Amino acid sequence: MFIIVFQMKKRILTGITTTGTPHIGNYLGAIKPALELVAPDNESYFFLADYHALIKQTDSSEIETSVKNVALAWLSSGLDPKKSHFYRQSDIPEVHELTWILNCSAAKGLLNRAHAYKSLVAENSQAGDDDDRAINMGLFSYPVLMAADILIFNATHVPVGPDQAQHMEMARDIAGKFNHTYSNLLTLPEALIQNEISVPGIDGRKMSKSYKNIIPFLCSEKVLQKSIAKIITNSLEPGEPKDHKSCTLFQLYSFFATNEQIVNMKQSYSDGIAWGDVKKDLFSVINDEIMPIREKYFELQNKPDLLNDLFSDGAKKVRPQAQELVGKLREAVGISKIV
Ligand code: TRP
């Protein structure tokens, strides 16, 4: 007897909110691990969540710049649009049709429990303000738009940071409710929760735009060097033994160095290496990895047509799938041709 096992292709999908310009922390924590999932027996969908960005950003030129920089960051870091589907959320209007359909399956109580919304409510109430002060409906219903992003393409696996685990549960919940009410048309996605890697910024706290402690990577060699020079160390002199464990420079170094280099660096710390020399070595390992990315970034930066063409090709490739699913969903809910 033969047993034939069909291995379903994994369909990996993830979205990147287009706010700000990606820094080394984003590169190590999100871009690199997501691109490592691209493999010949997976399908991968990467998209720019530009409608999600509107929740927090009302400056239109910031949105425009960020879409460009985020796209260039991914492309320069190795995203190959021939091997992955790469598109803008806003180029797939069916996402919004699905969002509405899902809104009608999503319990308001479920969304009341979303961390991002709850923590803002808590802040307001602590300040003695109205609970919903400065909270827009975009923020409140953010998880429904995210569910639509995922469900519209029948994604099976969604790599996200631990902060998105709850949104993934909600996506499954909402999809399950739809399937139960109408018919099994939506694929319940699995979250691939990526280990939170804590990349320190120049002041030793987690690297974040809001702490103003970032190290950029889409920048010239000089700017990279300058920002590494700003990393805060203690005042131990050259020759004095140093502890690598709690050291920002060492933590950053270990993200880019080989195992052998890391072992040697630990030894140099005990031998009393000067901070200036650690910074030189840190610059060199980061620069070695970033150099080809930087070159590609500067090359692509002057080709806006290329980006526009990529977006339009990306949408052309995936939109028919979205249209097909929405067609079935409309029929399932009773919005179709009258017979
Ligand atoms: N909410 C995600 C974040 O901030 C971005 C995102 C939007 C997303 N839609 C998605 C991630 C769909 C995965 C799948 O990180």
Side-chain angles (χ1 to χ4, degrees), residues 13-15 17 47 49 52 142 146 149-150 158 160 164:
L13 173 147
T14 199
T17 306
F47 70 94
H52 272 107
Y142 172 121
M146 178 160 161
D149 290 332
I150 299 167
V158 181
V160 281
Q164 301 294 318

Side-chain angles (χ1 to χ4, degrees), residues 32 250-266 281-282 284-286 288-289:
K32 216 173 148 182
F250 184 81
Q251 282 169 32
L252 286 166
Y253 186 77
S254 28
F255 285 121
F256 293 92
T258 62
N259 287 341
E260 195 188 337
Q261 285 173 315
I262 295 172
V263 171
N264 291 339
M265 184 55 89
K266 279 186 192 162
D281 288 351
L282 175 61
S284 141
V285 285
I286 298 185
D288 282 352
E289 181 160 337

